[in-house]
Amino acid sequence: MPTSAVTVRRMRARYRREGVWGLVDHRATRPRRSLGCADGRVVAALREVLEAGQERSSGTLGRLRVYTERLLAERYGDGSVPLPSSATFNRLVHALADGRGLLGSARQGRWRSARPAPPFVPTTVMAPGELVMMDSTVLDAFVVLDDGVVGRPELTIALDVATRTICAAVLRAKGTRSVDAA
């Protein structure tokens, strides 16, 4: 790749100063912010609008934009805090609301807020066989069973969590319990 002598000198100086890390293109190593370069006042106002609308339908993204604009005008004066473009604003809304249940219908919001915290905790498994999970599923196929009747089989699998391997698999008639497979 053709380059100038100045670029080569600059790269050699960076290599002497920082080693190989000095030659890396640092655009790829900069940390990304989920909210981008959005104004903090806009982010705070949008969060407040989203939280206030949790018990009612949030409506459309356009309506959220109008509510956020009104709140900013109330607090800081009309036009003093500009809103980002529509596309940037929509990305900001999704960055703040997705996964928290702040978008969607009011019914969905009430359902999420009334739901208890999940009882599951992350499990750390170190040794093979320390934790084995079992699950059964009905296969979407018909087979001739032992008694000559056509039915759908059920696949029960025992999975070792530590090694992510299948310890055992049993294919039986529908209605097999995990205890029977064990």
Side-chain angles (χ1 to χ4, degrees):
M1 181 161 62
T3 187
S4 68
V6 174
T7 302
V8 172
R9 269 188 253 132
R10 190 175 60 241
M11 291 174 81
R12 284 180 60 198
R14 271 190 290 166
Y15 180 75
R16 282 191 199 114
R17 194 173 52 245
E18 302 174 40
V20 176
W21 184 248
L23 300 177
V24 172
D25 182 8
H26 292 289
R27 289 177 293 185
T29 62
R30 283 188 213 122
R32 301 260 184 232
R33 295 184 298 182
S34 62
L35 302 179
C37 298
D39 187 350
R41 298 173 293 183
V42 173
V43 171
L46 181 57
R47 274 196 178 117
E48 191 173 323
V49 168
L50 285 169
E51 291 293 335
Q54 193 167 5
E55 287 301 314
R56 60 179 165 72
S57 174
S58 60
T60 62
L61 291 170
R63 189 185 311 168
L64 284 175
R65 185 177 175 87
V66 169
Y67 289 163
T68 306
E69 195 169 23
R70 284 183 191 161
L71 184 61
L72 288 170
E74 253 177 45
R75 287 203 180 140
Y76 303 106
D78 198 19
S80 62
V81 180
L83 280 178
S85 69
S86 294
T88 305
F89 181 81
N90 294 348
R91 282 194 301 270
L92 186 61
V93 168
H94 286 291
L96 290 172
D98 283 354
R100 294 180 49 209
L102 298 176
L103 289 179
S105 68
R107 182 176 177 216
Q108 289 170 339
R110 285 192 300 271
W111 177 78
R112 280 191 199 97
S113 64
R115 198 170 73 181
F120 308 107
V121 294
T123 307
T124 306
V125 182
M126 305 303 279
E130 184 178 346
L131 180 62
V132 176
M133 296 175 66
M134 293 184 75
D135 194 20
S136 297
T137 184
V138 178
L139 297 180
D140 196 20
F142 288 100
V143 296
V144 178
L145 302 173
D146 293 338
D147 55 358
V149 179
V150 174
R152 295 176 69 184
E154 188 172 57
L155 179 65
T156 303
I157 295 179
L159 180 73
D160 181 27
V161 176
T163 61
R164 307 269 198 265
T165 57
I166 297 173
C167 301
V170 177
L171 188 63
R172 296 281 167 112
K174 185 177 175 186
T176 307
R177 294 176 298 192
S178 295
V179 174
D180 297 335

